[in-house]
Amino acid sequence: MDKSTNEKFKAFTNKFFATKNITDSYKDVQWGSTESQKIRFQYICKLFEEDQSNDITLLDVGCGLGHLYDFILEKNYNNIRYSGLDIQKDFIEFAKKKHPEGNFMNKSLFELDADKHYDYLVASGTFSVTVPNENMKIFLEESVEKMFALCNKGIAFNLLTTRMPSEYIGTTETHFNPVEILDMCFKLTNRINLYHSYKPNDFTILMYK
């Protein structure tokens, strides 16, 4: 992604998620409910739940308030060394205070050093909001390529699906055709899992090296 486009995405994201009073709830990060957050986290964590390595590095792209980290601690994934990344500065500052032991960075995925690698990278809800006048499919493709380049073992991300009743498709949300996205992912690896059964409007893709 070029610098000017990256700055547009950053400016829009900061404005869209701006809030005067952070409550540390699903509402702050524009989720529908705590339950919808957790079921998505459950499928995201399938990426590494069978990895028995003692020290696993994980980068959460678009980490928000660190709710995935809360989930990881709740589920006792004791071998995960978590890092969070988000464009929204207020979210990162809040997450740092909540989890001083964590590593939270206020920058975009495309501002990360190319030589900084993690075992796994994940993105939950990161690609759901439509940025006006931008091609969201190109943004997704560039993001997935970047994430896959930075991982040692694999990546996971979820998206809103087009394979749902049209009346549920909002104008401020980006919905993706899962078949097209799967084809895009196969350009990077043939080790892929796709889950499309856990919610009517969502799907998750896991990709491994």
Side-chain angles (χ1 to χ4, degrees):
M1 177 181 288
D2 62 73
K3 187 175 181 179
S4 63
T5 303
N6 186 56
E7 290 302 318
K8 289 179 184 178
F9 272 83
K10 289 174 64 176
F12 174 83
T13 300
N14 273 295
K15 183 177 181 180
F16 185 87
F17 288 103
T19 179
K20 294 181 179 179
N21 181 33
I22 294 177
T23 62
D24 199 20
S25 76
Y26 66 90
K27 294 180 181 179
D28 297 324
V29 289
Q30 307 288 337
W31 283 102
S33 66
T34 299
E35 291 72 23
S36 67
Q37 268 190 316
K38 287 190 173 183
I39 193 170
R40 289 177 170 100
F41 291 161
Q42 177 185 339
Y43 278 83
I44 284 287
C45 289
K46 287 181 179 294
L47 178 70
F48 54 79
E49 65 182 4
E50 294 183 2
D51 191 332
Q52 298 300 311
S53 304
N54 292 327
D55 184 30
I56 295 172
T57 55
L58 172 71
L59 179 65
D60 181 9
V61 178
C63 66
L65 299 168
H67 289 158
L68 176 60
Y69 190 33
D70 296 337
F71 183 84
I72 286 171
L73 295 175
E74 177 186 321
K75 296 299 182 181
N76 295 314
Y77 289 113
N78 297 319
N79 58 342
I80 299 295
R81 184 149 50 95
Y82 175 96
S83 295
L85 180 77
D86 204 284
I87 293 172
Q88 229 289 350
K89 184 178 180 180
D90 292 341
F91 286 174
I92 290 296
E93 292 303 316
F94 186 93
K96 285 180 176 179
K97 292 177 181 178
K98 184 170 65 169
H99 293 297
E101 80 287 357
N103 177 34
F104 292 93
M105 298 170 282
N106 179 214
K107 58 175 65 177
S108 81
L109 173 65
F110 298 95
E111 293 170 334
L112 288 177
D113 294 334
D115 59 351
K116 178 62 176 176
H117 283 233
Y118 299 84
D119 291 325
Y120 299 102
L121 287 88
V122 300
S124 184
T126 306
F127 309 113
S128 296
V129 178
T130 300
V131 178
N133 304 314
E134 294 294 338
N135 188 317
M136 298 307 295
K137 188 175 181 182
I138 291 177
F139 170 60
L140 173 66
E141 186 168 10
E142 291 181 350
S143 298
V144 169
E145 288 175 354
K146 177 73 171 181
M147 289 172 66
F148 203 67
L150 295 177
C151 82
N152 295 324
K153 297 182 179 181
I155 70 171
F157 58 94
N158 51 39
L159 302 169
L160 296 173
T161 179
T162 56
R163 299 299 178 95
M164 59 182 286
S166 60
E167 61 265 28
Y168 294 106
I169 298 180
T171 57
T172 62
E173 301 169 337
T174 301
H175 294 253
F176 295 92
N177 184 319
V179 177
E180 292 179 0
I181 301 307
L182 191 60
D183 186 57
M184 178 193 82
C185 294
F186 271 121
K187 296 176 183 178
L188 298 175
T189 179
N190 62 359
R191 301 185 63 211
I192 298 172
N193 291 336
L194 184 149
Y195 298 96
H196 200 286
S197 59
Y198 58 93
K199 283 182 68 65
N201 63 337
D202 203 89
F203 66 102
T204 296
I205 288 183
L206 315 182
M207 300 170 61
Y208 295 94
K209 285 192 169 177

